Amino acid sequence: MTTLSERILGAPAGSYVDCRVDRCYVHDGTGVLTLEAYQAMQAERIARRDRTYVLFDHIVPANNSVTAGLQAELRRFARDRGLPFTDVGEGICHQVMGEGIVLPGEIVVGADSHTCTLGAFGAFATGVGATDMAAIWADGGTWFRVPETIAIFLSGSLKEPAEAKDLALTYVSRLSMDGATYKALEFVGDGVQSLSMESRMTLSNLAVETGAKAGLFYADGTTCAYLGDYGHSVSPQVPDESSYPQRLEIDISDIVPVVAVPPRVDTVRPVGDLAGLPLDQVFVGTCTNGRYGDLERFARIVRGKKVRVRTLVAPASRRVLARASATGVLSWLIEAGCTILPPGCGPCLGAHQGVLGEGEVCLSTANRNFRNRMGVGGEIYLASPATAAASALAGALAVPEVPR
Amino acid sequence: MKVEGPAVCLGADIDTDIIIAGRYLRTKDRSVWATHVFEDMDPALAPRLRGAVIVAGKNFGCGSSREQAAIALREAGVRCVIAPSFARIFFRNAINTGLPVMECECPCMEGKKVVADPASGRIEIGGRVFFARPLSPRMLGILSAGGLVEYWRKKR
Ligand code: SF4
């Protein structure tokens, strides 16, 4: 048997391999450090210019003159070298790379831990540090240890109001925060069929919260259709008859809306257990849940009503924003009293836009609820867009209703 | 790139905070890290590391991703770290900063001579022979250059 990681990296689990990298990317945060390391290496040129992406998303538009200066330098470098570059407002790196750029079977490396999001496309996608990335710029390749794999067997299909995010938090809590250290997760089983590309990206996105190096889906009809819309014609990846050494089985029909209680993403409880907990802020967005479907589900619940707590919505990309604008979702959000932020990470990393004050509680659709992440003394509960919508209307943690 | 030296035995789950405490990170003077390495676990350990080979338990280097942990061990004179498993980021940091690391389950005999060859994976300790996973050619190239930045400077 061969796992998808073994197939893509071309060697059995445990081996060390030297690989060409099909696509690599940095954002405005890690890109600055990568550039510094690259300059220290005194390499002559970027090995694979057309596959070396620079995407601005973390602190956009710049929040002060120091950030602005660093961003200007990286922007100049990207433009001078002719690298594929997306500026302020285009969206979160993992989302943009997932809009018709990354293809099944590719090796993708990003200077950001949530690069694993792109495993949703049947690619081997993982994060590295800035020095590693600088060497990839210089050489076009790097080394990996081929990871062992934990199979997550999914059966059944999600029952509303549960969403992919509830499933994601559930598997994270079952594996725990270090349950998959150095391993890859593969999502397999009949239950996968019913999951949209957006849902798969949400599931792959949280893989790193279990310590995993990657979280992969086999490309299937859904993947091919999604990429077909971007003009790619790709073939499905057929799984081997595999007997995975480690497996976790989840019947996704059993999933209920859940919330991750700070400060650990693996402390997961049904939303019902904590209903009524007062909130100071609701945040919808990020590389976990800032896609069109997320905004749409949220908007359908708040449409024609008013939110009772400050509610920030940051679309994951310009494409998401444009679609929300075309379908009317955007105006439902605005009329319900939500504040729309530019496409990007927004308040997720606590650097600007919606930083929490001491003692404030935020319900966020992101992936991390570490202490102080969104502001010193602030607390972050993680949940799905539907739970975020019900809670924004209540001003307190609330279970989303089953839509009629 | 054979290395040899007396074995220093350590337990499992040695985290990067224990290797070099957070309070020493804010400096560019690498000798500071070498002096304070393992200080919170055993202040007498640092001087014994010069020329030694660490043989540790599983999950060596877990916790924070600080690259200084690998640099501290190298600066303190550690020739190689052998453990059944390493935390992913520490492992990459070690190779990238020129500290040989070998994945191998072998018993530790305190003070006994260890001869280890990262290229072949062969480890000899107290007369017994074990085999670690061989590293890839690129990883060996980085190690023998002394780290990733040096590897690139030389390649140029
Ligand atoms: S949205 Fe949050 S988790 Fe995702 S890349 Fe941006 S800062 Fe990181």
Side-chain angles (χ1 to χ4, degrees):
Chain A
M1 84 153 234
T2 339
T3 64
L4 189 48
S5 302
E6 292 173 323
R7 210 191 284 178
I8 297 173
L9 296 176
S15 354
Y16 302 116
V17 290
D18 293 332
C19 290
R20 235 157 87 104
V21 170
D22 295 304
R23 298 181 201 279
C24 68
Y25 61 99
V26 298
H27 53 65
D28 49 302
T30 54
V32 168
L33 298 170
T34 303
L35 180 53
E36 211 176 79
Y38 177 75
Q39 282 161 346
M41 286 173 188
Q42 300 169 346
E44 252 149 43
R45 56 187 187 91
I46 304 257
R48 308 188 76 191
R49 263 190 331 175
D50 54 328
R51 288 164 177 271
T52 302
Y53 299 74
V54 177
L55 311 105
F56 277 20
D57 60 2
H58 267 54
I59 308 186
V60 294
N63 61 339
N64 61 33
S65 47
V66 175
T67 314
L70 293 170
Q71 290 186 1
E73 195 187 331
L74 182 57
R75 184 184 285 115
R76 210 174 308 121
F77 177 84
R79 290 201 171 132
D80 285 355
R81 304 297 162 108
L83 307 182
F85 170 67
T86 62
D87 210 331
V88 170
E90 291 306 318
I92 304 170
C93 55
H94 314 302
Q95 173 65 17
V96 174
M97 294 300 289
E99 292 177 342
I101 296 180
V102 168
L103 301 175
E106 290 186 338
I107 297 175
V108 179
V109 183
D112 187 276
S113 57
H114 290 103
T115 304
C116 56
T117 310
L118 296 156
F121 295 95
F124 185 84
T126 193
V128 295
T131 311
D132 267 333
M133 183 53 78
I136 296 174
W137 280 10
D139 183 70
T142 191
W143 60 270
F144 294 109
R145 179 182 186 280
V146 182
E148 283 83 26
T149 291
I150 301 180
I152 304 198
F153 272 88
L154 303 176
S155 59
S157 57
L158 286 165
K159 299 260 180 305
E160 288 189 290
E163 300 190 357
K165 178 62 164 292
D166 300 302
L167 171 57
L169 291 173
T170 303
Y171 89 69
V172 170
S173 75
R174 295 252 197 110
L175 287 174
S176 90
M177 270 168 76
D178 59 358
T181 298
Y182 225 125
K183 298 185 174 162
L185 306 180
E186 276 186 27
F187 299 92
V188 292
D190 296 343
V192 169
Q193 277 170 28
S194 65
L195 298 170
S196 66
M197 267 332 293
E198 291 198 345
S199 294
R200 296 179 193 188
M201 288 172 83
T202 302
L203 289 165
S204 293
N205 178 266
L206 275 117
V208 70
E209 308 315 325
T210 66
K213 182 172 183 172
L216 299 93
F217 283 85
Y218 286 82
D220 62 5
T222 305
T223 326
C224 298
Y226 177 100
L227 291 170
D229 289 344
Y230 289 98
H232 298 290
S233 130
V234 299
S235 332
Q237 296 160 320
V238 184
D240 267 359
E241 270 311 309
S242 296
S243 55
Y244 298 93
Q246 208 181 336
R247 50 193 281 165
L248 173 69
E249 299 201 19
I250 301 180
D251 180 347
I252 57 185
S253 332
D254 295 340
I255 298 294
V256 296
V258 290
V259 60
V261 179
R264 288 178 67 98
V265 55
D266 59 357
T267 312
V268 170
R269 310 248 308 264
V271 179
D273 288 7
L274 293 158
L277 180 100
L279 299 172
D280 300 291
Q281 176 171 299
V282 168
F283 169 47
V284 184
T286 80
C287 56
T288 315
N289 275 132
R291 285 174 265 281
Y292 176 77
D294 300 318
L295 267 51
E296 192 196 55
R297 288 192 308 281
F298 182 92
R300 281 193 188 287
I301 298 173
V302 299
R303 182 184 186 181
K305 303 190 175 121
K306 288 276 182 238
V307 296
R308 291 180 57 188
V309 57
R310 67 174 190 266
T311 300
L312 312 177
V313 181
S317 71
R318 183 184 299 281
R319 238 181 252 264
V320 168
L321 175 61
R323 190 162 161 209
S325 159
T327 58
V329 159
L330 194 59
S331 50
W332 300 348
L333 294 172
I334 295 170
E335 281 154 22
C338 304
T339 298
I340 311 297
L341 302 177
C345 300
C348 180
L349 66 158
H352 66 160
Q353 298 179 342
V355 172
L356 300 178
E358 177 81 40
E360 285 198 312
V361 179
C362 177
L363 180 65
S364 163
T365 63
N367 44 35
R368 284 189 176 148
N369 58 354
F370 302 150
R371 205 164 266 132
N372 302 340
R373 178 168 167 97
M374 286 178 68
V376 178
E379 292 204 314
I380 309 161
Y381 289 78
L382 304 174
S384 73
T387 299
S391 305
L393 292 177
L397 207 55
V399 185
E401 281 171 28
V402 182
R404 275 153 289 141
Chain B
M1 60 157 53
K2 240 189 217 164
V3 297
E4 62 173 85
V8 167
C9 306
L10 297 176
D13 300 310
I14 298 287
D15 66 67
T16 50
D17 263 281
I18 282 291
I19 299 174
I20 185 71
R23 60 183 178 278
Y24 296 120
L25 297 183
R26 281 184 216 309
T27 172
K28 282 192 172 168
D29 179 2
R30 296 173 165 221
S31 67
V32 170
W33 303 330
T35 319
H36 297 286
V37 71
F38 291 120
E39 185 175 277
D40 292 351
M41 185 171 82
D42 177 3
L45 190 54
R48 287 173 41 218
L49 294 179
R50 187 140 312 273
V53 173
I54 291 181
V55 182
K58 69 164 178 60
N59 202 22
F60 188 89
C62 58
S64 127
S65 63
R66 63 188 65 159
E67 206 166 78
Q68 291 94 330
I71 298 172
L73 293 174
R74 208 187 92 170
E75 293 294 311
V78 172
R79 307 295 310 276
C80 177
V81 182
I82 302 171
S85 62
F86 290 85
R88 168 174 180 243
I89 298 181
F90 177 86
F91 195 78
R92 286 197 88 92
N93 286 344
I95 302 281
N96 291 343
T97 57
L99 173 71
V101 276
M102 297 173 76
E103 261 191 300
C104 182
E105 193 129 11
C106 57
C108 186
M109 290 165 249
E110 189 74 45
K112 280 265 154 54
K113 184 165 120 178
V114 185
V115 183
D117 180 9
S120 65
R122 190 174 187 278
I123 297 168
E124 205 182 312
I125 174 165
R128 289 172 67 190
V129 174
F130 300 88
F131 281 93
R133 263 187 201 112
L135 304 179
S136 78
R138 185 194 306 260
M139 294 159 89
L140 291 169
I142 297 169
L143 280 179
S144 57
L148 193 50
V149 171
E150 293 77 5
Y151 174 72
W152 272 100
R153 284 218 186 108
K154 279 188 196 152
K155 216 164 156 165
R156 182 176 166 272

